[in-house]
Amino acid sequence: MKTIKGVKISPGIAIGPTFFFKRDQFPIPENRIQASNVDKEIARFQQAISKAAAELLQVRKLVLEHLDEDHAKMIDGQLMILSDPELISLVGQYVRQDNRNVVWAFFEVLSSYEKILQETDGYQKDRAVDLRDVKRRVIYHLSVDDAYLTPNLKEPAIYVSDRISPSDLIHIKDQGALGIISQIGGVDSHVGILARAFRLPYISHITNIEEVLACPEIVLDADNEEIVLNLSNENRKIYDERARQHELLNQKLLSAKLVSSSLDGVPFRVLLNIGFVQELKVIRPQSVPGIGLFRTEFLSIERNAIPNEEEQFIAYRDTLQAMKGRPVTFRTFDFGRDKLMAMLDLEVMHRDIAFEEWGGIRFCLDNPEILQTQLRAFLRASIYGPARLMLPMVTRIEDVLEVKKMIEIIKFRDRFPLGVMIETKLALDILEPLAGMVDFFSVGTNDLALYLIGVKRDEDLAKNYYHPIIFRSIHKIVQAADRFSLPVTICGEMASDPFALVGLVALGIRSVSVNYSAFHAVSDEIRNIRILETLTLKKQLLQEENAVMLYQLLREFYKNQMCAIPRK
Ligand code: PEP
Ligand code: MG
């Protein structure tokens, strides 16, 4: 039995055949069309070109607003390809004379252009990247109905790829994917969060993918961070049993009860993070006191475009109705560099553009039509239940003032709780003024770790939460909030870590919001913790300078003092 080691992104175990997907290998249907369908096929092509051009113009506008004309020119190259008369006429010829379907025709023409460019030097060679981006974009629009560009699992299988995008994950989960293996992918990446939310076992950092693909059947053992190749009959029984136990555990979790206080009676709330309305189908609303974070930008991933007001309204209303009177915190679109790229699938943006400064609420304020539409949808839906609004990546007082002004203009409801996420360095410097303007704080520890320590969410594997600066910052946030009697929730992945959670509780945190995969384990931990005993940790926690020591301190406390049910 041979095993390959990787990194656990989402727990669980899966046994089955593999399905390999490579994004750049478009499945191009090579069939010929009926002569009577030629005009229809050409019209389809024109529509796809217009859609691609409209998207690129939008991207150009954004790049120009936030960078400069030089960067915007990168997009011009792609727009020129799209309007190239020779290209359009060649594709037309292939369709009219050869009766090729237009995806095939377009692919052939672009591939021949690409080949020529690749054989040249310097500047021209760079244009091959533009060409690929255009090719992918147009084929996407031509194929979207038939889903040529998305993975298409024909039977339940373990998905294997160099990387997986959030939209791929959405597709494969509905197609019966058993689990995921990729070469690249981080624990705190959005796709990792999604895999855990949908309880799909996932291992990344697998380099020898070929070896995995050579086996007709494999075991993806995410709990032990390994892939088992060449499974023997004897071992098969053991793994089958483990997979069965895992499923039983999932079922048991479904029937868990609501937690409202710790073992020693201190009130505590464990809320749920979601990104899709469908996630609510796997929970029992009775066991969840509310949604602490609805990542609304995930609605765009599903559609590959920002949803319109009606689509948003329906998603928000359905969520509030499903939660049956329990509060839902909707976060305004949080498009940062990674999320925007994933959504628009922009290869061109991988080239040296720094978008960090421009994420979250700043992006929305700079694109007021997007924010106004979202606010209208939110306000319309808010009559269906206790809706709360939360602003991501706040860095300035003006961020809140400008949103409030916008709400004032379109408002038709008296009042709803408005909160901010504390997840940037700059927000830490304006905690008190912010606290005076809003109804709640929510700490985004994923981004806070990124901004304070500089680790990359998608790539760094170390647990960053144990860095002393993170605990001290959270302490500062709790103190500022206390002065204004403001509730604080932790909604980053840190709250799902059993030892880090002890530290958060010791600092006075009484509300966390976590993904479904961690929801029941965190609820159990709170149910079994004596919060008053954690207070003895606080001083040491804040004085400790070393992350490893801090980790050990929390782990020891957890082991000695808690009667929590052991977790995987
Ligand atoms: C965070 O940054 O911790 C957070 C909860 O938001 P997101 O992961 O969506 O950036
Ligand atoms: Mg964040």
Side-chain angles (χ1 to χ4, degrees):
M1 193 171 80
K2 177 158 188 202
T3 57
I4 298 181
K5 282 285 179 195
V7 171
K8 174 172 79 177
I9 306 292
S10 171
I13 178 162
I15 307 169
T18 54
F19 170 87
F20 182 56
F21 183 69
K22 193 151 184 255
R23 177 149 287 283
D24 282 342
Q25 279 177 351
F26 305 120
I28 303 298
E30 295 189 359
N31 63 305
R32 296 190 196 261
I33 55 166
Q34 306 270 348
S36 56
N37 281 338
V38 162
D39 286 343
K40 226 162 89 190
E41 200 67 352
I42 300 276
R44 218 158 73 77
F45 177 52
Q46 278 155 352
Q47 268 173 15
I49 292 270
S50 310
K51 281 186 191 161
E55 274 173 7
L56 284 171
L57 283 171
Q58 179 69 11
V59 175
R60 192 187 194 288
K61 190 171 147 235
L62 297 177
V63 174
L64 191 60
E65 275 169 25
H66 297 281
L67 292 162
D68 51 33
E69 183 62 35
D70 277 352
H71 284 93
K73 278 197 182 124
M74 296 190 319
I75 312 290
D76 289 344
Q78 297 196 20
L79 283 163
M80 270 163 65
I81 298 170
L82 275 180
S83 58
D84 179 4
E86 190 184 306
L87 178 141
I88 294 173
S89 127
L90 261 177
V91 174
Q93 269 177 37
Y94 273 36
V95 177
R96 284 188 195 288
Q97 291 168 11
D98 282 3
N99 287 7
R100 296 186 193 210
N101 76 65
V102 76
V103 182
W104 185 16
F106 180 74
F107 178 81
E108 285 285 303
V109 174
L110 269 262
S111 300
S112 62
Y113 280 21
E114 211 178 326
K115 192 159 173 274
I116 296 169
L117 285 180
Q118 261 156 1
E119 281 161 8
T120 59
D121 291 324
Y123 163 75
Q124 288 294 341
K125 200 168 185 166
D126 277 356
R127 295 204 55 208
V129 176
D130 291 333
L131 210 68
R132 262 205 309 281
D133 223 20
V134 167
K135 183 157 93 175
R136 190 159 61 183
R137 197 175 282 282
V138 173
I139 292 183
Y140 171 78
H141 286 298
L142 284 171
S143 316
V144 78
D145 293 341
D146 305 325
Y148 290 139
L149 255 195
T150 48
N152 196 358
L153 266 68
K154 304 239 171 2
E155 55 171 358
I158 296 167
Y159 177 94
V160 183
S161 192
D162 55 344
R163 65 174 78 214
I164 174 165
S165 73
S167 56
D168 291 340
L169 191 141
I170 304 295
H171 280 103
I172 62 163
K173 119 185 136 44
D174 286 340
Q175 296 164 354
L178 304 170
I180 302 165
I181 293 173
S182 71
Q183 283 177 309
I184 305 168
V187 178
D188 293 339
S189 64
H190 286 94
V191 74
I193 291 172
L194 279 179
R196 292 192 289 277
F198 291 122
R199 282 171 286 157
L200 275 177
Y202 177 11
I203 292 187
S204 78
H205 288 67
I206 299 293
T207 42
N208 25 1
I209 274 187
E210 285 74 25
E211 222 178 329
V212 176
L213 294 172
C215 298
E217 188 182 56
I218 60 161
V219 178
L220 163 56
D221 183 357
D223 295 338
N224 289 315
E225 304 201 303
E226 64 187 16
I227 295 165
V228 182
L229 312 173
N230 315 325
L231 190 62
S232 66
N233 276 344
E234 194 185 323
N235 283 322
R236 191 186 168 102
K237 279 193 202 130
I238 301 172
Y239 283 108
D240 275 344
E241 179 54 21
R242 279 195 41 213
R244 204 179 66 83
Q245 290 297 336
H246 189 77
E247 193 42 44
L248 279 178
L249 185 70
N250 278 341
Q251 295 302 327
K252 208 173 104 201
L253 295 179
L254 262 177
S255 54
K257 292 199 188 71
L258 179 83
V259 60
S260 55
S261 63
S262 63
L263 192 59
D264 51 354
V266 179
F268 200 102
R269 287 190 320 158
V270 182
L271 303 161
L272 188 68
N273 291 345
I274 62 165
F276 300 97
V277 190
Q278 299 96 298
E279 284 181 67
L280 296 177
K281 288 196 189 129
V282 295
I283 65 162
R284 292 188 331 142
Q286 307 91 291
S287 63
V288 180
I291 305 293
L293 165 63
F294 188 134
R295 292 182 163 99
T296 60
E297 66 280 0
F298 279 25
L299 299 172
S300 312
I301 295 168
E302 260 181 317
R303 292 170 178 77
N304 253 300
I306 296 176
N308 63 28
E309 182 181 325
E310 199 55 25
E311 289 169 326
Q312 290 186 54
F313 162 70
I314 292 169
Y316 305 159
R317 180 202 61 194
D318 289 356
T319 309
L320 286 162
Q321 286 181 330
M323 288 306 291
K324 297 188 168 61
R326 293 173 169 82
V328 180
T329 304
F330 294 95
R331 177 174 77 183
T332 57
F333 293 131
D334 185 9
F335 294 126
R337 175 188 156 95
D338 55 342
K339 293 173 193 170
L340 197 66
M341 282 197 315
M343 189 188 98
L344 298 175
D345 212 3
L346 280 177
E347 183 170 348
V348 72
M349 289 226 176
H350 287 284
R351 297 189 215 155
D352 74 359
I353 305 179
F355 272 82
E356 275 92 345
E357 295 292 306
W358 180 48
I361 194 61
R362 276 293 272 285
F363 171 87
C364 285
L365 285 169
D366 285 356
N367 293 277
E369 64 293 352
I370 294 178
L371 186 56
Q372 278 154 0
T373 306
Q374 182 164 38
L375 291 176
R376 270 198 305 274
F378 167 82
L379 287 165
R380 278 174 60 201
S382 68
I383 57 168
Y384 292 91
R388 296 147 51 92
L389 191 72
M390 179 159 82
L391 314 180
M393 305 290 285
V394 167
T395 52
R396 314 167 303 168
I397 302 295
E398 290 80 3
D399 294 342
V400 182
L401 291 175
E402 284 173 35
V403 173
K404 281 191 169 180
K405 218 186 287 165
M406 227 183 240
I407 293 170
E408 210 45 55
I409 296 169
I410 51 177
K411 183 156 97 174
F412 55 84
R413 226 201 125 187
D414 265 1
R415 203 173 139 61
F416 55 85
L418 175 70
V420 287
M421 287 194 69
I422 307 294
E423 52 181 346
T424 62
K425 245 188 203 160
L426 291 170
L428 290 177
D429 292 335
I430 49 170
L431 288 171
E432 297 219 350
L434 280 176
M437 302 166 79
V438 296
D439 303 300
F440 62 93
F441 276 172
S442 198
V443 188
T445 49
N446 305 341
D447 278 308
L448 202 59
L450 171 80
Y451 286 99
L452 290 179
I453 319 172
V455 289
K456 285 192 191 150
R457 292 173 64 126
D458 280 353
E459 284 160 22
D460 206 281
L461 301 171
K463 285 256 164 75
N464 316 303
Y465 322 125
Y466 296 104
H467 199 294
I469 196 168
I470 301 284
F471 282 95
R472 278 186 220 139
S473 302
I474 291 172
H475 178 57
K476 194 172 155 192
I477 296 166
V478 172
Q479 280 185 316
D482 277 354
R483 268 177 236 128
F484 289 79
S485 304
L486 215 64
V488 182
T489 296
I490 304 284
C491 64
E493 299 297 290
M494 181 178 185
S496 311
D497 182 305
F499 310 143
L501 181 61
V502 171
L504 294 173
V505 169
L507 294 181
I509 292 295
R510 298 292 176 263
S511 168
V512 294
S513 191
V514 298
N515 299 315
Y516 185 72
S517 57
F519 182 79
H520 294 285
V522 171
S523 299
D524 274 345
E525 185 164 337
I526 294 301
R527 209 177 273 124
N528 289 285
I529 199 170
R530 288 194 175 82
I531 284 190
L532 296 178
E533 286 181 18
T534 67
L535 302 185
T536 56
L537 275 178
K538 185 169 161 183
K539 198 166 160 209
Q540 217 180 335
L541 198 62
L542 293 172
Q543 279 170 354
E544 187 53 71
E545 295 290 345
N546 179 309
V548 176
M549 300 297 284
L550 217 154
Y551 169 79
Q552 279 167 1
L553 172 74
L554 293 171
R555 195 185 56 176
E556 280 314 299
F557 183 91
Y558 179 92
K559 284 193 173 160
N560 295 338
Q561 311 236 358
M562 289 234 344
C563 3
I565 297 164
R567 296 209 242 163
K568 289 211 164 139

